[in-house]
Amino acid sequence: MKLYYAASLTVFAAWAMKVVNTDLALKKIPNAQTVLGFKFLLLALGVMAVNSLLGSTGEVTDFLNWNFYRLWAVHAGLSALAGLILWYSEVWPAGDAKFFMILSAWLPLINPFIGNLPTYLFLVVLINIFVAAALYTIGKFLADGLHSASPSDYFGKIWSDVKERFSQLADGGRRNRALAALLLANMTMVFLLQQVLVMESRGLLSGLFARTELLYFFMFFLWEKVARLFRSRLWTWLTMAFYPAYLVLGYFFFFGHMVLMLKYALIHVFKFSLILVAGRAMMEFLMEKKDMVYLTAAELEPGVVLSSGSARMLRSNPALCGDFDDCFKDGLDEDQVAALREWLGRLPGEAPKVETVKGRPFALWIFAGCCLTLLLDRNLAALLK
């Protein structure tokens, strides 16, 4: 089996490096390379399954039992779900999401005894990907500042950008403060429900639902979609019905238990709020600052990627009739480009522009995160504690 693992690692690395080089050159991953990688993955899985079949008949002595394939299937399914979420939440384009699915599913075929298989391995890989990318981004910011002609001006500009972003988040008066309070109440309810479901189901939901890290993952990356759900009228009525019922019943029947659950939920709301502000509101803002481009209506074309600020602004614009509810990182489609050109043409002023970002190749960090997972067999965040 050692020869098989070495061969699988070699093919894994060769194909992934080819994809990374293509992504760096073209800023996209061709579908043909994704299909080729999927074929290699199926080949590696098939060779391992044949060896297991030979082992079960006594032909070979070094083989994996059939339970491994059940574990692998769970991991591959969760990796595919995570990739879809990262695409749907407008974090990655479809090419990056598919690249992640294939690489993540390949890891147990290189090291069948890798840690956190099957339920949490995909999450460890994602943590390594995003922590490595964030550390590089922060390091590059610092290096660029130290090597600039005037470091004080460079860091002063970054600090002013950060303060500007904080002021934007805090601005909006009474209505925004009410929305923020509603979001906090809804997040508290979600963490309460998670804990109640896990404890009252007597182990039936103690797998995926018991790990708060998974709830963090889904809420963090789907936040744009989740926040819209939280602001909906139906969810508001559910919240208004839930709290009185839970508090009244808790006061009379399980007061001590209720206090512990509320404490647990509020602690996680505080932690998640910090992660949300640092990760989505600030890191996303600073990373996009370096790649920002302003385009006129004539310069717009299919494939252009809107900045997060532009996407939020266009979603909330009633004149666009929901055309931009989904602005995937694959870029604008032809209908969205036509709608945006028409809207820009109606604006006053000479050649109004829209805020976009240049494509940022991310396949390198996906590959790096998978390699770190193989080498360390744990996540980088644990090493930083």
Side-chain angles (χ1 to χ4, degrees):
M1 290 295 287
K2 289 183 179 179
L3 181 61
Y4 164 82
Y5 298 143
S8 184
L9 176 60
T10 302
V11 176
F12 166 89
W15 171 75
M17 289 174 66
K18 174 65 175 175
V19 172
V20 168
N21 287 332
T22 303
D23 190 40
L24 290 172
L26 304 179
K27 295 186 178 178
K28 65 179 296 184
I29 300 174
N31 199 50
Q33 290 190 355
T34 303
V35 172
L36 179 63
F38 184 66
K39 289 178 179 177
F40 282 143
L41 174 66
L42 290 181
L43 177 62
L45 182 64
V47 171
M48 184 176 278
V50 168
N51 187 71
S52 294
L53 181 61
L54 293 174
S56 64
T57 59
E59 299 290 333
V60 296
T61 57
D62 189 7
F63 65 97
L64 295 170
N65 64 38
W66 296 110
N67 187 54
F68 165 80
Y69 299 97
R70 180 185 64 81
L71 300 178
W72 179 86
V74 172
H75 166 66
L78 289 172
S79 297
L81 176 61
L84 285 171
I85 287 172
L86 288 163
W87 168 75
Y88 182 68
S89 59
E90 302 164 21
V91 175
W92 283 346
D96 286 351
K98 288 183 282 189
F99 185 55
F100 163 76
M101 294 177 196
I102 294 171
L103 289 188
S104 180
W106 209 324
L107 296 183
L109 304 182
I110 298 171
N111 178 10
F113 308 104
I114 193 168
N116 299 290
L117 186 72
T119 313
Y120 307 114
L121 179 57
F122 84 97
L123 192 58
V124 171
V125 176
L126 285 172
I127 290 171
N128 287 340
I129 290 169
F130 285 104
V131 170
L135 290 176
Y136 171 80
T137 301
I138 294 170
K140 194 169 188 309
F141 265 118
L142 295 175
D144 289 347
L146 294 173
H147 289 91
S148 64
S150 176
S152 60
D153 291 341
Y154 178 89
F155 289 114
K157 178 66 168 62
I158 290 178
W159 180 239
S160 67
D161 288 341
V162 171
K163 290 194 293 185
E164 177 190 354
R165 180 59 174 153
F166 271 119
S167 67
Q168 290 172 354
L169 293 172
D171 196 19
R174 184 179 301 173
R175 184 174 182 275
N176 269 15
R177 287 194 290 272
L179 284 175
L182 181 62
L183 287 176
L184 289 173
N186 284 322
M187 282 195 290
T188 304
M189 186 177 98
V190 167
F191 284 110
L192 267 176
L193 284 174
Q194 180 248 353
Q195 189 65 6
V196 169
L197 283 172
V198 170
M199 295 191 70
E200 301 303 330
S201 63
R202 304 188 186 281
L204 295 176
L205 300 175
S206 60
L208 288 177
F209 289 97
R211 295 297 294 262
T212 312
E213 302 97 313
L214 294 177
L215 188 57
Y216 275 42
F217 166 76
F218 289 114
M219 287 183 63
F220 181 84
F221 286 111
L222 286 171
W223 182 249
E224 292 290 342
K225 318 289 184 183
V226 170
R228 275 184 270 167
L229 173 65
F230 281 172
R231 287 192 291 265
S232 68
R233 182 172 297 179
L234 174 61
W235 193 270
T236 302
W237 281 109
L238 286 174
T239 305
M240 292 173 65
F242 170 79
Y243 275 111
Y246 183 75
L247 293 175
V248 170
L249 290 172
Y251 182 80
F252 287 104
F253 298 105
F254 47 91
F255 183 77
H257 181 75
M258 180 186 70
V259 171
L260 288 175
M261 292 299 97
L262 285 171
K263 179 182 177 182
Y264 164 91
L266 291 172
I267 289 172
H268 281 292
V269 167
F270 177 72
K271 289 180 180 179
F272 181 75
S273 299
L274 291 179
I275 295 171
L276 196 64
V277 170
R280 288 198 73 104
M282 299 311 303
M283 281 299 295
E284 180 182 66
F285 172 74
L286 290 174
M287 289 177 73
E288 286 191 348
K289 270 285 187 181
K290 296 179 69 66
D291 298 326
M292 208 162 280
V293 180
Y294 293 87
L295 300 179
T296 63
E299 295 170 324
L300 288 172
E301 58 184 26
V304 165
V305 179
L306 295 174
S307 70
S308 299
S310 290
R312 282 190 291 268
M313 181 268 293
L314 294 173
R315 282 194 196 101
S316 61
N317 191 330
L320 293 169
C321 304
D323 292 332
F324 295 87
D325 284 349
D326 292 313
C327 294
F328 299 117
K329 289 299 181 182
D330 303 288
L332 300 177
D333 59 32
E334 292 183 359
D335 292 337
Q336 289 174 324
V337 169
L340 189 51
R341 283 175 178 166
E342 182 183 351
W343 178 72
L344 287 172
R346 296 198 301 266
L347 295 180
E350 185 178 349
K353 297 183 178 182
V354 65
E355 195 176 77
T356 65
V357 291
K358 295 181 292 185
R360 179 182 286 269
F362 206 78
L364 173 62
W365 295 112
I366 297 173
F367 180 48
C370 291
C371 291
L372 286 168
T373 305
L374 282 173
L375 291 171
L376 303 175
D377 204 7
R378 61 189 302 189
N379 69 68
L380 280 177
L383 295 178
L384 295 173
K385 289 181 179 179

